[in-house]
Amino acid sequence: MTSYFAGIDVGSTMTKVVILNQGIVASVIGPTGPEHRRLANRVMDEALNKAQIGFEAVTYVVSTGYGRINVPFADKQFTEIACQARGIASLFPRARTIIDIGGQDVKAIKIDATGRTIDFVMNDKCAAGTGRFIEVIADALGVGLDEVGELSLQSHHPAKISNICTIYAQQEVAASLAEGVPISDLLAGVHQSLAERINTMVNRLRVEDAVIVTGGGAKNRGLLKALSEQLGHEILVPEEPLITGAFGAALLGKEIVEKARQTRTLLQTKQRILEEIEIQ
Amino acid sequence: MAEEVKEVKPKKRMTATRAAASIGPMVKEFITSTLQARAEGRQKLAYTFIVCHHEEILRAMDVIPIWTENFAGICGAKRDAERFLQRAESLGLSRSLCTYALCGIGFDQWREELGQMPPDAPWGGQARPDFMISSGQIICDPRSKWYQASQQFMPDVPIYNIDLPYPLFQRDQDHRDVWDYYHKYIVKQLRGLVAFLEEQTGKKMDYDRLRELVDLSDRTWNLIDETYKLRRAVPCPMGTGDAMNTMVPINFMMATEKAYDFFVDLKKELEEKIARGEGEVENERYRLMWGGGLPAWYALNDFNYFNSKGASFPVETTYRMVAPLNEMDIPETRDPIEHLAWRWLGYWTFWYDKAKKRPGSEPDVERLINWIEEYKIDGVVMHEAFSCRSWHVGLIWQLHQLAKIYKPIPIYVMGKDGKREKVYRELPSLILESDIIDITSYSEVDTRNKIDAFIETLESIRANRAA
Amino acid sequence: MGYVLGIDIGSAYSKGIALGDQGTVDSSVCPSGGDLKLTAERVKEELSFRNGISAHDIMRTVATGYGARSVIFADEVRSDVACHAKGVSSLLPTVKTVIDVGDLYTKVLRIDRNGGVHNFLLSGKCAGGSGRILQVIARVLRVKVEEIGEMSLKSKKRVDFNTGCAVFSESEAISRISEGVTKEDLLAGLHRALAAQINSLVERIGVEPDVAMVGGGARDLGLVKALEEIRGHAILVPAEPHLTAALGAAIIGREQLKKKIES
Amino acid sequence: MEGRGDSILNTVERYYKDYGLRARELRNEGRRLTGYVCSFVPLEIITASGCIPFRVRGDIHEPITTGDTLLETIVCPYYRSCFDLSVKQKYDFLSGMVIPHGCDSMVRSFSAWSYSLPFPYFHFVNIPTVCDQSSIEFFSAELNTFKKSLERFVGKSITEEDLAKAIRVHNENRDRVRDLYEFRKTDPPLISGTELTRTLTVGSSLPVDEANGLYDRVSAEIKQRERSPVKKGPRILIDGACLDNVELIKLVEELGGSVVADTICNGARDYFPKTDIGGNPIDALARRYLEKVNCPKTYRANRAGTFEGDIASRFGDTGVYAKEFKVDGSILYLYKYCDPFGFEVPARKAYYKSINVPLLHLEDVYSAGTMGQLRTRIQAFLEMLG
Ligand SMILES: Nc1ncnc2c1ncn2[C@@H]1O[C@H](COP(=O)(O)OP(=O)(O)O)[C@@H](O)[C@H]1O
Ligand SMILES: Nc1ncnc2c1ncn2[C@@H]1O[C@H](COP(=O)(O)OP(=O)(O)O)[C@@H](O)[C@H]1O
Ligand code: SF4
Ligand code: SF4
Ligand code: SF4
């Protein structure tokens, strides 16, 4: 019987699930709602359906991400840092620096040739330095998140955003828009401002090639361009940058099981039933 | 925000005096001369800090001081500190620390990494020193930690660290009871510095020359005091905006003829202006005191903005590092080093006795009160620079205490019985918040809005002031 | 003598007052939106149209607030510090300390009964301590910002709420609710935390009674109550606290007019 | 186990939660308590005067409010919290307060403290930054001034015997703390980091002889233990300044690490160095505080002439502890706005690298609210040590 391993990454905005055996058999991205538990269930269910297996077929589940403690059916939790490092190391053996741009925080991870984390930094205190900054501004400009990147690339004169606070910046951008500053320039300015903040943080690690960007922010080409200019390094992006954390989580689970088998220790795994947890 | 000027170009600040306008080139020339000295290698260069009362010793030994605070300030004024600050942050240094130091360390690290000046370094950059002389003790921690951190990137450059303590004000203690052993310690520390310099330069100290230089800076010191006191005139001939320039000879050029001559000229210029009834601003409406805080170097233009509203700054507590020598009770001595140590102690304890006489007062508050009266001040402006604790912690408390014990503004109010009643109110104050060189902490629009509101406040007090 | 308009273009709401010879004739409030110039026009139009005021009946217009400079037709621009002071002192003459909880900033002013300002202080560079957080939370709770005051007063068990970032408070609220905290208790916690932040600003400048609260935030009874609780004394709130700056602007305009006529 | 009612560690926890419980009792008995902050106030002199030294601490659960109205927020948050609690009269049982020149935050806020608190006694002890012979002489003189001011306050003179005796008890106190640290050497440690820091924190609120008694009882109880209270996990050293709330340590232990060593001000930095016996007691104290307490506040000249040599001599004690307590990783936990420690971060990082100990650097603001943010970082670090 093939064993399956699942990784579930409950982010602040998106919940991602990856199911593995030898390779990825299914991956699903769904929104994270306020009720983490139920959504974790739903996304997991969807992934199982896609893989056409039942939950009992999954040997080990690792949860990660901002909502990792709210996954009742997980066997173990890891931080996104460990999971991203693991996932990226397997996808990009050359990777040395990972920058994960999420909605709630931004992390930079340095890994060595064996894929081990050697250092990391993160920002999660002020929205001004995270993906949320872009969300708020995009919202104020009435632009969809999937358009902001392309739009900003059309700009020739990025606007200078002088406020740091997301809220003040939102106000500033709205006012500039009314004064006729083109949306593309504003977006380019916003990307530059965020890229600057990320760059300062990341630099504490002394960035080395190859630099991989993951998380929702990696879907934003405008941000990537600004970031690569600031860093002075080329940037690589996984095909599906959102799921690398969940992928790494599944891999870590797989390793735990394999190690246990080798040393013949018994794994305390929970009963493999995905119960529907009702929340009012 | 909406009205924010799109591309922030540092405009040249307009000065009110010729003397202040001559400062920029002087500093530039000075920086250039340090670079030249480095290239020629004939004289030793020393990183060091202002307000240490040791420049006479350096000059007597022909050591060229490189004032690292000055260079950081220049980066700030040119709005080009950010890249050095970011470097420092990348090293693991928190942005909450003294940004002068961060800028300096970031610059040093870059220069050492490249083996040459970082690209487009402001005014040619800061020369590599032969040694560093630090002095933190009671002025501030960064002064003893900064060079130590820089040394990581130039381990071959030795540091000599001296202590220059002074007794902190304590209400129930007379500073004269303790200052003998303070004096003794300072003297030993300064003698240690002399020995260190002798070792580094291979020269012997010429004590006659030292005595002459100490005498020169004493004379300059008194002259500065006389010159600055001219600013009591109404209208005020020179404001704090200019004083942020004329601090250069006080802090970076003491014990030189040039500094003395500068103040001779400035004094003459001010006297002429006073004779002509010429003020810093054309129609002086408000006289403000810069009551604390180092300036935001990239935003000196804000002084012009104040001026444009009719506000002049006849006096500031910042960089006014002198007090009349004859009013300081310092013992006579022929030994120049002993004299330096007494002058140091005399300066820091200058307001102690006065403060003890007024209940609730304290030296810094006492100085505010005295100058408010001497300079006929209408309001106090302070700058809370977030990264320097030394000059900026305690300002809020000082304002609090000032408001509590000193209410000079008479106004009429409606009393309980419906009759007009005269009461006294405290002086209005304005606290600006940003940083000395970290421009990301500053918003021009916010600052100017605050200034506008403050000016309106002054106006309304003026309108309601009881005769 | 005609009418004087006071127009306060805030970052969230724009407010206008038309002042006639006998006092306030009408007021208007609308969201500020992006185009402030247009909003300013709209406020004027609305006041004029509803009260049949023709262009030459408007003797003077004084603008204030975040977007005051967008009121191109204004005769004068005054800071909202001065305008709030004027407005409050005309409504509540015993007030000596004014707390203005606006959208982006919180301000504290010390005033006299003539509406003169003696001293003032503004909150810093982070929107975490101003009224905006109320809107943010109201939105995630799917209630109207007008309702949150009442709701919070119904709370039985206030939770500890971390006000930090105004943006992230949203996610904190979401996760609290998903933990089963009621909206009422959450709001009470929010009000308490915000009030504590506001209070430390208030304390800095020193307080002289009576104390009034104005600005959009003062419409939130939960916040007023929380601040009263912390301070241990009553806080006066004028009937329409968000209008005091506009009112003050109009009064200033009227006074100027009077002076002009007299001289 | 901890659950038993008669456990001394339960008592410790109670005194920890209600900090100052015993001090209030002593005050009611008519004793004089003298508050202090930082590890640079020579407690021996306070004890010798008959007063009881009481370490003023902050509370990360209490939002800083009143304190902020008098003191800038650019003061280190730990110190602001201490000030805030003091002006909120949490320490109204004190008769006085001694503040040393530990850092800029302490120097520049001295006026605000001394004018805002109603204590009859206030004193500032100036401390040299340089550590040479003239500094020791100066510091001795400054300590004599301190002694004289205490004498004036208590109305009696402090004799050499008084001092010698106080030095002895405080040394004994330090020996006992050392004994407690010994329990950390097993793997997993017999005493958890949370228990230890709680015990020391409580100890610093008691008269020194009572603290000695407390430590003895704690030691006796730990000796009885058969099992460690924590699971085996990465062994962590906490490097930093004042850590008088256990939440961070607790978090590390919750996440599977064991805190087994530290350099903190209310830990090894303060308790490991002892005062020399014999000779002039004031001079001996001057030497202990200036030369033996290893804090970034004092300037240690670079005698090696190389960076590597310099950091080895400045941070060598950390390396010794790391070896002695078999540390797997270190957490450098610093407060925002702390200049003395803040400027050392790059050098400390380099030092850890040189001794091959992985390091996590955290900058925090002294609030329980940030523990959530620290959780992910710490968990990831422990994963890294794996
Ligand atoms: N399609 C998209 N195009 C551009 N940016 C996106 C897109 N989707 C998400 N983002 C960005 O990614 C962020 C969310 O990233 P994600 O990794 O999902 O965060 P989390 O892990 O916290 O849920 C958003 O704040 C947004 O800035
Ligand atoms: N009825 C209300 N109840 C609670 N809060 C309100 C109410 N109305 C407005 N607010 C709050 O007040 C703020 C706006 O205040 P306002 O004084 O109009 O600000 P500004 O002048 O800066 O636009 C908003 O951020 C909102 O959160
Ligand atoms: S006094 Fe302030 S600005 Fe100057 S070096 Fe010290 S901390 Fe920095
Ligand atoms: S500055 Fe703005 S974005 Fe940052 S914490 Fe404050 S409210 Fe949030
Ligand atoms: S943590 Fe740092 S800044 Fe705070 S009191 Fe200690 S030494 Fe001073």
Side-chain angles (χ1 to χ4, degrees), chain B residues 342-359:
Chain B
W342 281 126
R343 198 177 72 190
W344 166 267
L345 286 167
Y347 174 72
W348 290 106
T349 54
F350 187 71
W351 295 98
Y352 285 18
D353 288 338
K354 272 198 162 163
K356 277 196 188 141
K357 291 198 189 108
R358 195 191 308 258

Side-chain angles (χ1 to χ4, degrees), chain A residues 25-48:
Chain A
V25 274
S27 68
V28 174
I29 302 174
T32 301
E35 296 106 353
H36 288 163
R37 286 159 197 268
R38 201 168 49 187
L39 264 144
N41 267 301
R42 196 176 296 155
V43 184
M44 189 66 181
D45 248 344
E46 209 182 306
L48 292 169

Side-chain angles (χ1 to χ4, degrees), chain C residues 100-168:
Chain C
D100 165 29
V101 181
D103 184 43
L104 297 183
Y105 298 94
T106 296
K107 306 183 191 76
V108 187
L109 344 169
R110 295 269 309 278
I111 66 167
D112 60 32
R113 65 163 55 227
N114 301 323
V117 183
H118 286 273
N119 225 340
F120 66 94
L121 214 58
L122 260 69
S123 64
K125 295 170 175 55
C126 164
S130 66
R132 174 62 66 94
I133 201 167
L134 299 170
Q135 277 181 340
V136 171
I137 301 295
R139 205 180 57 203
V140 290
L141 298 184
R142 299 206 184 83
V143 296
K144 291 209 191 74
V145 74
E146 291 82 10
E147 296 166 4
I148 61 174
E150 290 291 332
M151 285 176 72
S152 124
L153 294 179
K154 291 200 191 99
S155 158
K156 299 263 171 342
K157 202 168 143 280
R158 186 174 69 209
V159 295
D160 273 338
F161 192 86
N162 236 325
T163 47
C165 179
V167 182
F168 283 158

Side-chain angles (χ1 to χ4, degrees), chain A residues 152-169:
Chain A
S152 76
L153 290 175
Q154 293 163 15
S155 159
H156 298 293
H157 306 283
K160 178 112 189 92
I161 310 291
S162 45
N163 280 290
I164 290 175
C165 175
T166 310
I167 303 264
Y168 294 177

Side-chain angles (χ1 to χ4, degrees), chain A residues 68 77-82 107 116-120 122-125 204, chain D residues 349 359-360 363-364 370 372-373 375-381 383-385:
Chain A
R68 63 186 177 278
Q77 311 156 4
F78 278 105
T79 60
E80 306 96 287
I81 292 160
K107 314 175 201 69
R116 266 174 44 100
T117 308
I118 43 179
D119 207 353
F120 63 89
M122 63 189 282
N123 161 45
D124 55 5
K125 295 193 181 92
R204 256 179 274 165
Chain D
K349 278 188 170 168
L359 176 70
L360 174 69
E363 182 178 86
D364 200 15
T370 57
Q373 294 172 342
R375 173 180 283 271
T376 303
R377 289 170 174 79
I378 293 172
Q379 193 180 347
F381 182 61
E383 284 167 359
M384 208 174 105
L385 300 176

Side-chain angles (χ1 to χ4, degrees), chain A residues 11-14 16 102-104 131-132 135 145 215-217 219-220 242:
Chain A
S12 65
T13 35
M14 294 288 176
K16 308 102 191 171
Q104 187 82 12
R132 183 63 69 82
E135 280 179 60
L145 258 186
K219 299 196 115 169
N220 181 338
L242 280 179

